[in-house]
Structures are given as C-alpha cells and as structure tokens.
Amino acid sequence: MSGEMEKPLISHHPVESDSSLAEAPTVGILGSGDFARSLAIRLVGSGFSVVVGSRNPKRTAGLFPSSARVTFQEEALNGPQVIFVAVFREHYSSLCGLSDQLAGKILVDVSNPTEQDHLQHRESNAEYLASLFPTCTVVKAFNVISAWTLQAGPRDGNKQVPICSDQPEAKRIISEMVHAMGFMPVDMGSLALAREVEAMPLRLLPGWKVPTLLALGLFVCFYVYNFIRDVLQPYIQNRKSKFYKLPVSVVNTTLPCVAFVLLSLVYLPGVLAAALQLQRGTKYRRFPDWLDHWLQHRKQIGLLSFFCAAMHALYSFCLPLRRSHRYDLVNLAVKQVLANKSHLWVEEEVWRMEIYLSLGVLALGTLSLLAVASLPSIANSLNWREFSFVQSTLGFVCLVLSTLHTLTYGWTRAFEESYYKFYLPPTFTLTLLVPCVVILARGLLLLPCLSRRLARIRRGWEKDSAVKFLLPSDLLVEKTSHV
C-alpha cells in the first residue's frame, strides 16, 4: 500500500497505451526561434521528452525549458522518430546534409509562407520539404497555431490543428500528439492540400470582408448625402460656412443611419428565405448563392450595426462639448434677451426629445444584448430555443425600437418643406425604407394562413408531394394521415 501511495496521481508523461506515443515519447525540434521555443514549452508541459537541434546550442540553451535538451542538429536526430522542422523555407536546403539521419522519420512542417511567397511558389512548403527528403514522411501541422497559443494553452486561442499528409499512420501519430497537447486535430487529407492549409493564416478576417465593405459603402453614401444637405446647401444658397460640422456633426448624423440599415439587413434575408419557401412549397431546394452568403454573414452585419450604434452614442455625448455648440447657446440666449422673451418652453418638443432619447437607449441596450449573445462563449451556454429567442425575437424587438426611435426623431419634419434641401428628403426618411419593409413582411408572416403553411414546410411538408402532412394540433381533429 505504501508503494502505491508514493505514486503521483497525475503523471507527467502520456498514459501508457498501445499507441506510438507511449513507445516513443521523445520528440525532436530543428530550430531555435520563437515558435520552436513555444513548441518546446508546450511539449514539455504535455509530458514529452524534447531534444532541440540548434546550430549554436550554447547560445540558445538558456531560452528553452530546463528539461529540454539543447544540442547540435546532428545529435538531436539520433533518438526521436518525430521531428518538428521549425525553420523557414529558404533554410530547408541547409538540412540536406542530415538526410541520412532523417531517413524514415516523420517530419512535421510548421512553417508559413509570406503572401508574396505563397503567390510565387506553386508548391507548398510541406511539398517542397518532401521533395528534398523523399525518404521521410512529411506532415503539415501546427502552422495555424500561434506561438502565444502554444505557451498559454488552447483556452486562449483556436483549438483546431489542421493536419495533412500522404501517410495515414503518420497522421494518426501526429493527431495523438495534438490531442496530448490539448488541441483538436482536423484531418485535411493528403499533402497536396498543404497549400490550402498554409493559406489559412494569410487570410485577414475572410468572413468580415463583405460586411465591412457593405458598412463602408453605406457610410460613404450617407456621409455624402448629409454633407450635401447640411453643409453644401447652406454654403451655396446662404453663403454660410458650416464645414466645421464635417468631423463630428455629419459623422454623428451618418452613424445611426448606417446602424439602422445594417440592423434591418440582418433580418431581411430571413424574410426573403421564408418567402422563397412559401413560393416553392418546399424547404429542400437550395437558396440562391447570394441569399445563402447573405444568411451566413448576418452575425458580422449585426456586430457592425452594434459598433455604429455605440459610436453614435459616444458622438452624441460629445456634441455638447463642442465650442460651436457653446456659441450657439450664447447666441440663442442673446436673441432671447433682444426679443424680450423670458420663456421658450415648447411642450411638444420636450416630449418628443424625451421619448426619442428613451427609445434610443432601449434600442441600444437591446442591440448590446444581441451582440453579447453572439459571442461564442455566451452562445455555447444557451440552448437552441434560448439562442433563437434572443437573436430572433429580441432582434425584431430591437428593430421595432430603432424604427420608433427614428420616427420620433423625425416627428413631423418629413412633411415640412423647409427640411427638403436641394429637393432632397431628410436622411431619416431614407433609412426607414428597408426597416419598414422588414417589419411589414414579418407582420404578414405572422398571419395564421402563412405562418401555419411555413411551419409545415419547415417540418418537411412539400406542395407537390402525395404525403398529407399534419401539425400536432391537427391531430385533435384528424387522427390519421393518408398517402
């Protein structure tokens, strides 16, 4: 019993099994750069014995964990069966002198090309390494994991590790190593797909490209429109210079327009998809590509809407701090004294402003809840019904609140001739077009005749099918179905 109690509960080495990791826990690393050091730290922490091959081991030994053995490259290849090649592509040729010692070993290529190199070379770094060492098995892995993630662990970064190789046994061994290090291996196929794996770190937010361009396009359009109405028109017609409004006032007028339209564009594709399903009478036909991509980008569009709304709130808080605003207040007070008016209280304007601000705060608060709920850490803690309620029901409530906020801001200005500058309607009237269409369409889809038909379609009913599909509520009236 005493001998058993002396054994540690958690071993520093992988649990013994029939896998190759239990037979050969020693791992070699060629290279002494930042990624090699982070890789050594992660391997040592995962229970592996690490030997590092360096051209100058005395200079680099102090940078690695004390339990990792740092030696010359030739000596580092004697024992390990798995060798991580942590050097750049242009230095692969310097390893050709070690080809005899590397024969039969598994080489894990962790390098990433630059964008220029990726376009210049037709073959991937891993394929180039395999051509230099034909007697070795090359595996592409760990190139999408940053050095920081290796040191901090998978909790602070992406857990997926794409793996590709022409040898299934080599992929199995590296996959077990990935599991032991706390990551999740993803089999990408043969080594011919290494070029696609190496292109992953070169992409800059691929899912955000279209939504960002959409937001920028809307911002430019509304900014130019507000510039013409609020700055250019007074200058041309009345010779009043209001160019000082460009940095703050015009931007603050543009941001809510962009946020409002983007929010409506989040729910417009769902309405279009429902209309297509009702028109086709089935859910088993693919949506058009443009609609499918639109549906996939709704999260990014919603987050950009929240960003614009939050910036609008910050800009609104800054409006009273402007020097021009203070001058306007002084001028208004002087005019009041000169006109001998002691009371300028307008009941309608007071109520309009109070309601307008209240609805704006409610809309921003609801939009903030939607943005927080879309984060993976929060979304993963919600079941499907909760997530659907937050993103669909509360999202539609947020759209309605934003519409009421805009309507209260406009009040009766849409019917006053003085607000049509250069015969252009006020900006808020343009932003109301898409949201009102979405709200009206959602209201129509709530009608029993349409909602019940849509529910049947989404549960498998087809218009041209011979099967008579019944909702659970229909079973109270009709107990049987006929084919």
Side-chain angles (χ1 to χ4, degrees):
M1 186 66 182
S2 60
E4 293 293 331
M5 293 295 291
E6 292 175 356
K7 295 181 179 180
L9 295 177
I10 301 178
S11 174
H12 293 285
H13 299 278
V15 179
E16 299 236 351
S17 62
D18 56 354
S19 66
S20 300
L21 290 181
E23 300 173 1
T26 302
V27 180
I29 300 177
L30 290 178
S32 55
D34 295 335
F35 192 86
R37 293 195 294 269
S38 301
L39 187 61
I41 292 173
R42 191 65 190 167
L43 287 170
V44 169
S46 301
F48 293 94
S49 178
V50 178
V51 55
V52 180
S54 174
R55 290 175 296 180
N56 194 340
K58 292 184 178 180
R59 185 179 62 182
T60 59
L63 303 175
F64 287 85
S66 58
S67 56
R69 185 165 64 93
V70 182
T71 181
F72 291 99
Q73 293 180 345
E74 297 81 359
E75 298 178 6
L77 303 179
N78 293 332
Q81 182 66 19
V82 177
I83 306 295
F84 285 87
V85 182
V87 297
F88 293 104
R89 178 190 177 113
E90 55 265 28
H91 301 312
Y92 284 172
S93 58
S94 64
L95 304 176
C96 292
L98 308 174
S99 57
D100 294 336
Q101 294 175 273
L102 290 173
K105 297 183 182 293
I106 299 175
L107 301 183
V108 183
D109 178 39
V110 300
S111 66
N112 276 318
T114 62
E115 190 170 356
Q116 181 179 0
D117 291 339
H118 182 72
L119 297 176
Q120 179 181 357
H121 302 294
R122 294 185 177 181
E123 61 179 358
S124 63
N125 290 359
E127 292 174 305
Y128 176 61
L129 183 65
S131 66
L132 294 178
F133 302 94
T135 59
C136 300
T137 301
V138 176
V139 179
K140 187 69 184 184
F142 288 99
N143 67 300
V144 302
I145 303 297
S146 65
W148 167 255
T149 303
L150 284 172
Q151 293 190 28
R155 293 172 298 176
D156 295 331
N158 186 14
K159 296 184 64 175
Q160 292 186 348
V161 177
I163 299 174
C164 58
S165 177
D166 293 332
Q167 297 295 331
E169 180 64 18
K171 284 196 290 187
R172 184 188 66 82
I173 294 175
I174 302 304
S175 296
E176 291 180 358
M177 290 188 64
V178 171
H179 268 301
M181 297 169 68
F183 296 95
M184 181 185 303
V186 179
D187 192 346
M188 300 295 292
S190 65
L191 197 63
L193 296 174
R195 181 175 173 84
E196 177 65 22
V197 176
E198 292 177 359
M200 292 179 180
L202 299 177
R203 297 167 182 162
L204 180 61
L205 302 175
W208 290 84
K209 182 178 180 180
V210 174
T212 303
L213 292 177
L214 174 63
L216 288 176
L218 288 173
F219 183 86
V220 171
C221 292
F222 279 115
Y223 188 87
V224 172
Y225 191 86
N226 291 323
F227 166 75
I228 295 174
R229 282 179 42 84
D230 300 338
V231 179
L232 194 60
Q233 188 268 345
Y235 181 76
I236 293 177
Q237 293 189 347
N238 303 321
R239 291 300 173 182
K240 292 183 179 180
S241 178
K242 294 189 176 182
F243 289 93
Y244 65 88
K245 290 186 174 182
L246 292 177
V248 178
S249 182
V250 178
V251 173
N252 188 49
T253 308
T254 303
L255 285 173
C257 301
V258 178
F260 193 24
V261 174
L262 287 177
L263 182 61
S264 61
L265 293 179
V266 173
Y267 297 98
L268 180 58
V271 172
L272 297 177
L276 274 178
Q277 290 178 340
L278 287 172
Q279 187 258 333
R280 294 172 174 177
T282 180
K283 70 172 184 178
Y284 297 110
R285 290 179 59 184
R286 286 189 72 253
F287 294 131
D289 291 338
W290 60 269
L291 181 57
D292 189 55
H293 293 155
W294 193 351
L295 291 168
Q296 294 177 9
H297 287 99
R298 287 182 296 176
K299 175 183 176 180
Q300 291 85 348
I301 296 175
L303 289 176
L304 288 174
S305 173
F306 168 70
F307 171 76
C308 293
M311 293 297 295
H312 167 57
L314 292 177
Y315 269 92
S316 298
F317 280 119
C318 294
L319 289 180
L321 302 178
R322 299 176 304 159
R323 181 70 63 180
S324 58
H325 179 75
R326 300 177 185 179
Y327 287 154
D328 289 337
L329 290 179
V330 173
N331 291 334
L332 181 62
V334 171
K335 290 180 180 179
Q336 182 180 355
V337 172
L338 295 177
N340 198 18
K341 294 182 180 180
S342 60
H343 190 69
L344 290 179
W345 182 277
V346 180
E347 190 75 17
E348 180 182 353
E349 281 297 307
V350 171
W351 276 101
R352 183 188 71 85
M353 201 63 170
E354 295 293 322
I355 298 174
Y356 158 70
L357 292 176
S358 179
L359 291 172
V361 171
L362 290 175
L364 181 59
T366 310
L367 189 58
S368 303
L369 182 60
L370 295 175
V372 172
S374 65
L375 298 177
S377 57
I378 304 299
N380 293 336
S381 64
L382 303 175
N383 60 38
W384 172 246
R385 186 175 182 182
E386 294 169 343
F387 182 79
S388 178
F389 171 78
V390 172
Q391 297 296 331
S392 180
T393 306
L394 288 185
F396 185 69
V397 171
C398 180
L399 183 61
V400 172
L401 289 173
S402 302
T403 304
L404 294 176
H405 173 67
T406 307
L407 289 173
T408 311
Y409 170 80
W411 208 249
T412 59
R413 299 177 183 178
F415 309 103
E416 298 178 10
E417 185 180 355
S418 59
Y419 284 94
Y420 286 78
K421 302 175 181 179
F422 281 156
Y423 302 101
L424 298 176
T427 311
F428 68 88
T429 59
L430 300 180
T431 60
L432 285 169
L433 295 177
V434 180
C436 289
V437 170
V438 174
I439 293 174
L440 180 61
R442 285 288 294 264
L444 291 176
L445 292 176
L446 293 178
L447 295 176
C449 58
L450 295 179
S451 62
R452 289 177 62 83
R453 181 181 175 88
L454 186 60
R456 290 186 178 190
I457 291 174
R458 290 177 174 176
R459 296 187 61 175
W461 179 84
E462 293 185 86
K463 179 174 60 176
D464 299 329
S465 175
V467 178
K468 184 179 180 181
F469 181 83
L470 297 176
L471 288 175
S473 59
D474 297 333
L475 296 178
L476 299 176
V477 180
E478 187 173 350
K479 296 292 184 179
T480 61
S481 60
H482 304 279
V483 179

